[in-house]
Each structure stands twice: as C-alpha cells, then as structure tokens.
Amino acid sequence: MTRLPPINDEALDSDQRAAVNEVVTGPRGKVPAPMQAWLRNPELARRAQSLGALLRFDTGLGQELTELAILICAAHWRSHYEWTAHSRLALEAGVDEASIDAILAGRRPDFATDHHETVYCVASELMATSRLSDTTYSRAVATLGETLMVELVTVLGYYSFVALTLNAFEVGLPEA
C-alpha cells in the first residue's frame, strides 16, 4: 500500500493541475507513478517528468538500450513497480526475454551486440561500485561515444531517482 495516496483530480491545485496537464499531453499520455509523490511539489513534478520524457523518448540511445539500462537500475534498487513496468516496455523495445530474466536473476546476459554489452557493463559497474574503471570507461566511449555515455549515465541517475521515490513511498508494491 502506498504511503502517499494519489491526489485525485478534484483536489489538485492550479500548479499541480498544470504539471499533470503537461505530462498527459506529452509522449507518456498519462501520469507516471512517481509523479504522484512529486506532485507534492508541482515544480519538482513538472521538471522531473520533463527530464524523464527526454531521457526515455529523445536520446540517441534509442528505446532498446534505454530500457536495458532502466532494467539494470530497477534490479539494482529492487524497485518492483519500475521493474514490472519496464520489463514489459523492454520486451516491446526488442530486449530479449532471456536477457531480462538474467538481469532479474543477477546474471550477466549473453548479448548479441557490442552496444548492449557496453550498456550492461557500464550500468552494472556504476550501480555496483558508484564508479567506472578506466577500462570500462574507455571501452564504453569507444563503443558509444561521449554523448551517448552522458545520456546513459543520466538515464541511470534519473531512474535511480524514480526507483528511490517508488521504494520510499511504497508506490506499486504488492500487498503481499
């Protein structure tokens, strides 16, 4: 059960309503789960969802690599809601089911491309150690380039923010 009940439409103040309207008319088309917490500060909600939309829909990583990174983040933080939502989206984006199962089980998947393996290595090392070795960093920049590396690290940071919000306020946790 969530620690912060959703704010129903009738109870929204004008700033909250503007934040909700912004997200509903954007690429998501609906209010994402962590925004229910963020709406307690409408400006935070507006800016956070805007950054999230950019990272999820408009980076050079593309949907498949973005969803792969989000799954690694969700597994690291044990964010049930984030995992459940994004495992489905990852499948739709082209991440194979065996890779998704391996990530959930804490195993290294067998990847078909250098880009997938690089995203996995960067995300896993960064989440596990809070740093990147020179070897991992150099290999990642050679494979992805600087721009995609910045985008990947930002996706991991943003979805850590999402996972911590969901976990702290117990959003989407099953009753059992």
Side-chain angles (χ1 to χ4, degrees):
M1 180 103 172
T2 185
R3 289 179 168 157
L4 292 175
I7 302 171
N8 65 41
D9 288 344
E10 303 81 48
L12 294 172
D13 67 27
S14 62
D15 291 335
Q16 290 168 323
R17 190 173 316 287
V20 167
N21 287 339
E22 188 175 316
V23 71
V24 170
T25 60
R28 284 187 183 94
K30 63 181 183 175
V31 175
M35 195 166 166
Q36 282 296 331
W38 302 338
L39 277 170
R40 272 54 182 191
N41 177 331
E43 188 61 19
L44 170 69
R46 194 182 68 71
R47 291 182 190 209
Q49 77 78 22
S50 180
L51 177 60
L54 169 73
L55 295 172
R56 186 150 158 241
F57 301 109
D58 291 323
T59 71
L61 288 168
Q63 292 303 116
E64 191 171 359
L65 295 178
T66 298
E67 292 299 334
L68 177 61
I70 294 168
L71 287 183
I72 295 163
C73 185
H76 171 80
W77 291 111
R78 295 178 183 97
S79 180
H80 175 80
Y81 188 96
E82 188 173 47
W83 177 268
T84 301
H86 286 279
S87 59
R88 185 182 91 278
L89 293 169
L91 274 172
E92 292 171 6
V95 178
D96 64 277
E97 193 167 352
S99 294
I100 293 170
D101 292 344
I103 292 166
L104 183 60
R107 295 187 322 268
R108 181 188 184 100
D110 293 322
F111 291 111
T113 73
D114 288 343
H115 282 76
H116 288 82
E117 185 168 356
T118 299
V119 166
Y120 177 83
C121 289
V122 168
S124 296
E125 187 174 319
L126 195 54
M127 299 306 288
T129 69
S130 303
R131 300 272 186 276
L132 289 177
S133 67
D134 289 341
T135 302
T136 300
Y137 180 79
S138 296
R139 206 172 329 168
V141 170
T143 303
L144 300 174
E146 289 179 344
T147 300
L148 293 186
M149 273 296 290
V150 169
E151 291 176 355
L152 173 57
V153 170
T154 307
V155 165
L156 294 169
Y158 177 80
Y159 280 93
S160 290
F161 165 51
V162 168
L164 290 172
T165 299
L166 295 169
N167 288 353
F169 300 108
E170 298 183 346
V171 176
L173 289 180
E175 294 300 319

